[in-house]
Amino acid sequence: MNKYIFLVLNWMIIGLFASCYDDQGNYDYDYIQSVMLKGELKDTVVTRGRVLTLKPDIVKITTRGGNDTTAVNLEQYDYLWYTYNETTGKRDTLGNRYYLDDTIYLPISDKYRVTFSVTEKESGVSWLSQFGLKVIGAYKNGFLFLTEDASGGVELEMYGDDAEGGKIRETGMLRRSGFPYRNGGPMRFRMFVGIV
């Protein structure tokens, strides 16, 4: 019995070598120059309602395994900035340019991970950079005003002091929150809020 098993194993090994003997294979792969950021993105704190500006210097590595870099042609890549809240699991898009220069209206939390994705249009290859983001509150105290425009649309405004002692005025709070009942005057708004 052992003799037959030994014979079968020998034939399998011979067949394996024979099948690989003429393997021409396609082992010539195109080298894609890796993209990286000069200087890493660092964990950041931003006050809710303030502008967050990040302008990373994007370069590509010109030689495989080397450290030589050159500037990229920014038009050859797609960009995406997005956040992931580790507590809620919610993902929000911040922008789609090679730089970030947007007002942050994310809920107050210290559990955000921001990902910056750079994708080469021709190859579809992406490179990711991540950093932590903490969003802090903007207000120390203030007054809320319900306003109405000429067409009967209502909006919420706030006047007060920020966390650093400066004066603030914020408008468009209902619109930004996605509140659906902003038309029909303040009476309809009060009725809806009263029912809730």
Side-chain angles (χ1 to χ4, degrees):
M1 184 68 160
N2 288 337
K3 181 176 170 182
Y4 293 113
I5 292 174
F6 181 72
L7 185 62
V8 170
L9 285 175
N10 280 337
W11 280 109
M12 286 177 62
I13 291 172
I14 291 170
L16 180 64
F17 283 125
S19 65
C20 294
Y21 180 74
D22 289 330
D23 182 16
Q24 299 297 315
N26 180 9
Y27 300 115
D28 296 327
Y29 298 106
D30 292 332
Y31 172 62
I32 297 175
Q33 295 176 330
S34 294
V35 172
M36 60 179 274
L37 304 182
K38 250 188 181 175
E40 292 184 16
L41 295 170
K42 297 182 180 170
D43 291 355
T44 305
V45 177
V46 65
T47 302
R48 188 175 188 275
R50 299 280 171 86
V51 176
L52 177 60
T53 303
L54 297 171
K55 295 186 178 181
D57 188 11
I58 305 168
V59 295
K60 59 184 173 182
I61 300 173
T62 56
T63 56
R64 179 180 282 178
N67 292 328
D68 299 328
T69 61
T70 184
V72 300
N73 180 351
L74 296 173
E75 300 297 321
Q76 295 178 346
Y77 298 87
D78 289 322
Y79 310 95
L80 181 63
W81 297 84
Y82 62 90
T83 64
Y84 175 77
N85 188 316
E86 298 170 358
T87 303
T88 64
K90 185 176 179 191
R91 179 179 155 164
D92 290 296
T93 299
L94 296 178
N96 58 2
R97 297 171 290 193
Y98 72 91
Y99 62 93
L100 183 63
D101 191 25
D102 292 302
T103 305
I104 303 300
Y105 287 112
L106 296 167
I108 296 170
S109 175
D110 61 351
K111 301 292 184 186
Y112 292 107
R113 296 287 317 152
V114 178
T115 301
F116 177 45
S117 170
V118 179
T119 304
E120 188 177 48
K121 292 178 182 178
E122 184 179 339
S123 67
V125 175
S126 295
W127 294 269
L128 305 176
S129 297
Q130 290 189 330
F131 63 97
L133 179 67
K134 179 178 181 179
V135 179
I136 60 174
Y139 313 119
K140 183 177 179 183
N141 56 49
F143 297 95
L144 290 174
F145 294 94
L146 182 63
T147 61
E148 178 182 12
D149 61 21
S151 65
V154 294
E155 192 51 79
L156 199 58
E157 297 186 16
M158 179 174 182
Y159 297 86
D161 299 319
D162 64 16
E164 296 151 3
K167 298 295 181 188
I168 54 168
R169 175 181 179 233
E170 186 173 340
T171 61
M173 297 171 77
L174 290 178
R175 177 182 43 80
R176 278 196 315 278
S177 71
F179 188 75
Y181 303 104
R182 295 187 297 120
N183 295 322
M187 188 56 137
R188 179 176 175 201
F189 176 83
R190 280 195 299 259
M191 288 173 56
F192 177 79
V193 173
I195 291 171
V196 174

